[in-house]
Amino acid sequence: MTPRVLRVAGPAILGGVALIALVGALWFGGGAAQIPLGDAGPVVRWGLPVTKLVVNLAAAGMVGVLVTALFTLRAGEREFDVALDTASISAALFTVAAGATGFLTLLSVFNPAIDAGPQFGAQLGRFLVELEVGRTWLITTVAGAALTVLTFAVRSWVGTLLVALVAVASLVPMGTQGHSGDDAFHHEAMMALILHIIGAAVWLGGLLLLIAVRPALDRRRIPDLVARYSSIALAAFVLVAVSGTVRAAIGLQEWSDLLSPYGAILGIKVVALVGLGLFGAWYRTRLIGRMRSSDAASRPFWMLIAFELALMGVASGAAAALARTPPPNPAPLPEIPSPAERLTGAPLPPELTIERWVTAWNVDMLWAVLAGFAIFFYLAGVWRLRRRGDAWPVYRTIMWVAGMVLLVWVTGGVVNVYQDYLFSMHMVGHMLLTMAIPVLLVAGAPVTLAARAIRKRDDGTRGGREWILWAVHSPVARILTNPFVAAALFIGSLWVFYYTDLFRWSLYDHLGHQWMIAHFLITGYLFALSLIGIDPVPWRLPYAGRLLLLIGVMAMHAFFGIAIMMQSGLMVADWFGSMGRTWGVTPLEDQYTGGGIAWSIGEIPTLILAITVAIQWSRSDDRETKRRDRHADRTGEAELEAYNARLTELADRDARSRR
């Protein structure tokens, strides 16, 4: 199959196989079966999963194409324009399919009589404004419409990057739908589904990009394009595999559930994904090298792409069917939920004891995956440096790994288990996120490692190294890494977060909780970077200025802790005061403890920062002294002798003038 034929036949193969797999899986699993009461009819029952399938495929053509283009193609040339045109067409299809899905969901929920009367309009307005599912599809449709325009209008590097970020964000609301919202493990299922959707979109979209831009590329560049896409696809495959495993474990509580229709459809999807992984491994290890040395290897590669698209269709159809197929034994929700279950969706944990600091776990998948990737790529960079004979300090590696391990513990260990119920535990996590973990990560010098380890590109495309250096030297980075701005964000965000509704948002909304973690981690990293960072920044204060700035921040931080301790009322009382907790101290006493943690324990990392700045200052003076000594040795104290001669000359001149 030639590339030009595949350009047309590829999407047809993908869509046709996906539709067949969807219909078969719905028939087998009963996902489109008639509902005894309030059935909206066969058009809605079968049309809704079909439109969701189109949404998923169009999302891949939008997100995956944009992400892959940023790392593989040259901006300003025809290949880049073709990629963005493909993304724009996909975004338009995504918009139409999302709107159709929202409308069919309305019919499925309300089963209304469709007319132009006020009753239908009221139902539509209520659906779009009051119900979460309606708001989700409204937001998704509006985002798709905006992306359709942006992908058509934007053609620059930076603009495309921003559009790609918006495109990825547009997939997040979709992850809140399906059976994830009905599970007892709601947060875990939702995050697994979001990561699964994003990973699959990047993986499939990159494959579509290959066949879309092939006619616009020089044949000699194809191996490099395929190799770079292969790296992206490998990361996406890992993300899809891990998130899919977690989601399946939530849906299937027992091994016997694999024999259910839900388990059988899931098995078909897994087999398809494993087959795709094997295909990817084969052309990554064997076929790409043959393509570099001979054009004859190109024909089997494009045939392989056709098979991959077919398997992608099977996996996509099965995934869309699973969203409509009920799990065999869903985790039961309590008939009479406790106050804690009403607020958090999970039962109240047992009393916090010493051993539970080690044994209590509720892993946040998002941060566990990010930490895993961060450790892997860091160690890979260190290995590459050592393989070519370059040194890298061991302590930096230890610091980076320790920081990521601590991040996983904070977001998935005892802190995550109890932070919804104890203000003090919430403050422990906050202090570690904003003060302890950033110090460890900054000491790892990840930007310096990336600049030295990642290969520089000279073909007009941008890889990881180029994007990292662009981010470091961007105008936004110059502002954020300014020591005074970083300090203001660091200390100001404490007051803004806890004394506004942002704190409430982080408790009631899981996405708000994720934003909180990211915000405090980033602000803490920027502040630590401005003080003790090894990575390059546009400007740093002298060491004396750093210590003075740190002292000021320490004082304001201590005042923040004291302010919380002096609170006479309970912060977010409808949350911490309504848990029905029967163990431990009262919520107000626990809040007092949290203020003490912010005041006392939170100062320990600050003291470490001060000691580190002092040590760096001392070492800087030693280096300057040694530099001057070496210069004196090279010049034979020429500067000192010239200075003494000048003084002698001035003294002689003064003596002559007195005469």
Side-chain angles (χ1 to χ4, degrees):
M1 186 178 296
T2 64
R4 293 188 179 277
V5 174
L6 186 60
R7 190 176 186 182
V8 178
I13 294 173
L14 174 66
V17 174
L19 183 60
I20 294 173
L22 172 65
V23 172
L26 289 174
W27 174 81
F28 179 75
Q34 184 175 355
I35 302 174
L37 297 175
D39 184 74
V43 174
V44 175
R45 295 198 310 270
W46 290 92
L48 186 57
V50 171
T51 56
K52 284 187 176 182
L53 173 64
V54 177
V55 168
N56 295 338
L57 297 180
M62 177 178 64
V63 174
V65 168
L66 290 172
V67 172
T68 308
L70 287 171
F71 290 92
T72 59
L73 302 179
R74 300 171 181 169
E77 298 190 7
R78 183 170 176 265
E79 62 196 51
F80 206 76
D81 292 337
V82 171
L84 292 180
D85 290 342
T86 304
S88 182
I89 295 172
S90 299
L93 183 60
F94 176 83
T95 304
V96 175
T101 301
F103 180 73
L104 292 176
T105 303
L106 166 67
L107 299 182
S108 177
V109 173
F110 289 106
N111 192 17
I114 303 175
D115 53 35
Q119 184 177 359
F120 178 75
Q123 289 178 322
L124 178 61
R126 179 188 172 193
F127 175 76
L128 295 177
V129 176
E130 298 181 6
L131 295 187
E132 183 180 357
V133 63
R135 292 195 301 269
T136 294
W137 288 113
L138 176 62
I139 294 171
T140 303
T141 304
V142 173
L147 288 167
T148 303
V149 177
L150 291 174
T151 50
F152 182 78
V154 174
R155 288 295 186 268
S156 63
W157 281 118
V158 178
T160 304
L161 174 63
L162 297 177
V163 173
L165 293 176
V166 174
V168 172
S170 69
L171 303 185
V172 173
M174 295 169 53
T176 63
Q177 304 303 306
H179 295 298
S180 300
D182 302 326
D183 290 324
F185 302 97
H186 169 62
H187 296 323
E188 295 84 353
M190 182 181 67
M191 188 53 61
L193 185 57
I194 290 173
L195 295 178
H196 196 75
I197 291 173
I198 294 174
V202 173
W203 189 4
L204 175 57
L207 198 63
L208 293 174
L209 177 67
L210 292 182
I211 64 176
V213 301
R214 172 60 186 92
L217 286 176
D218 189 328
R219 184 174 296 178
R220 293 171 296 181
R221 292 185 55 203
I222 296 300
D224 290 334
L225 174 64
V226 175
R228 291 163 182 172
Y229 163 70
S230 177
S231 299
I232 298 173
L234 178 60
F237 174 78
V238 173
L239 182 60
V240 169
V242 174
S243 59
T245 301
V246 173
R247 184 66 188 92
I250 295 174
L252 302 175
Q253 300 295 316
E254 301 177 358
W255 288 105
S256 60
D257 294 339
L258 291 172
L259 302 177
S260 65
Y262 185 93
I265 299 172
L266 179 62
I268 294 173
K269 178 184 175 183
V270 170
V271 170
L273 293 177
V274 171
L276 286 166
L278 294 175
F279 275 130
W282 182 67
Y283 69 69
R284 180 175 178 87
T285 57
R286 295 176 178 257
L287 194 57
I288 295 177
R290 290 167 53 189
M291 292 175 66
R292 295 183 188 277
S293 58
S294 175
D295 292 339
S298 296
R299 186 175 295 276
F301 172 75
W302 296 113
M303 290 297 297
L304 181 63
I305 292 294
F307 282 113
E308 281 195 279
L309 288 172
L311 287 177
M312 280 288 188
V314 173
S316 300
L322 284 174
R324 300 288 298 175
T325 305
N329 294 305
L333 295 175
E335 295 182 2
I336 304 177
S338 64
E341 289 169 332
R342 291 182 183 274
L343 291 171
T344 68
L348 184 72
E351 184 176 2
L352 179 60
T353 57
I354 296 177
E355 63 268 15
R356 288 195 63 81
W357 282 86
V358 180
T359 60
W361 286 90
N362 182 20
V363 178
D364 191 318
M365 186 177 173
L366 173 63
W367 298 103
V369 169
L370 290 178
F373 276 118
I375 293 175
F376 172 80
F377 286 119
Y378 192 97
L379 295 178
V382 174
W383 177 77
R384 178 176 289 182
L385 287 182
R386 294 190 178 276
R387 188 177 61 173
R388 72 186 187 199
D390 295 339
W392 184 258
V394 177
Y395 82 90
R396 293 184 186 177
T397 305
I398 295 174
M399 290 293 187
W400 180 263
V401 174
M404 287 300 169
V405 171
L406 184 58
L407 176 62
V408 173
W409 182 77
V410 170
T411 58
V414 65
V415 176
N416 191 38
V417 173
Y418 284 91
Q419 65 179 351
D420 283 339
Y421 313 96
L422 296 172
F423 180 88
S424 59
M425 189 61 72
H426 187 283
M427 188 59 68
V428 169
H430 182 174
M431 293 298 104
L432 292 175
L433 282 171
T434 195
M435 305 187 75
I437 297 174
V439 173
L440 296 172
L441 298 182
V442 167
V447 175
T448 302
L449 176 64
R452 293 178 59 186
I454 302 177
R455 296 184 181 91
K456 182 180 179 181
R457 294 190 183 180
D458 55 5
D459 59 352
T461 63
R462 290 189 179 185
R465 183 179 187 275
E466 287 74 22
W467 279 114
I468 291 173
L469 294 180
W470 169 84
V472 170
H473 296 96
S474 65
V476 175
R478 286 197 291 270
I479 296 173
L480 294 178
T481 56
N482 182 284
F484 298 104
V485 175
L489 291 173
F490 178 77
I491 196 65
S493 61
L494 290 175
W495 295 90
V496 173
F497 177 80
Y498 282 98
Y499 288 95
T500 65
D501 283 338
L502 289 175
F503 189 21
R504 180 183 302 273
W505 178 48
S506 71
L507 294 172
Y508 279 92
D509 193 326
H510 189 62
L511 295 181
H513 174 71
Q514 301 296 344
W515 172 88
M516 178 201 71
I517 296 174
H519 172 78
F520 286 121
L521 193 63
I522 293 172
T523 54
Y525 186 92
L526 292 173
F527 182 62
L529 180 64
S530 67
L531 295 176
I532 64 170
I534 302 167
D535 291 332
V537 294
W539 179 68
R540 281 195 175 95
L541 285 171
Y543 288 102
R546 299 184 202 181
L547 286 177
L548 290 175
L549 181 64
L550 186 59
I551 291 172
V553 170
M554 287 177 65
M556 296 180 67
H557 194 277
F559 183 67
F560 166 76
I562 295 174
I564 292 181
M565 295 174 69
M566 295 177 63
Q567 282 277 126
S568 58
L570 190 62
M571 303 179 73
V572 198
D574 55 341
W575 181 272
F576 290 107
S578 304
M579 286 292 173
R581 181 166 50 84
T582 57
W583 46 261
V585 299
T586 65
L588 194 58
E589 292 173 331
D590 180 67
Q591 180 175 288
Y592 183 86
T593 303
I597 291 172
W599 176 34
S600 57
I601 298 179
E603 301 300 323
I604 297 176
T606 309
L607 180 62
I608 295 174
L609 281 174
I611 295 173
T612 304
V613 171
I615 294 173
Q616 289 180 343
W617 191 359
S618 175
R619 289 180 176 178
S620 177
D621 289 342
D622 292 341
R623 287 194 296 269
E624 181 64 19
T625 301
K626 292 179 180 179
R627 186 191 66 81
R628 292 178 178 178
D629 291 341
R630 289 193 298 269
H631 180 73
D633 293 338
R634 289 193 303 269
T635 60
E637 302 287 352
E639 290 183 358
L640 181 60
E641 292 177 0
Y643 180 71
N644 292 331
R646 178 62 176 168
L647 291 178
T648 302
E649 182 182 351
L650 293 174
D652 293 341
R653 185 182 301 173
D654 291 340
R656 288 193 299 269
S657 64
R658 294 192 190 100
R659 296 174 186 169

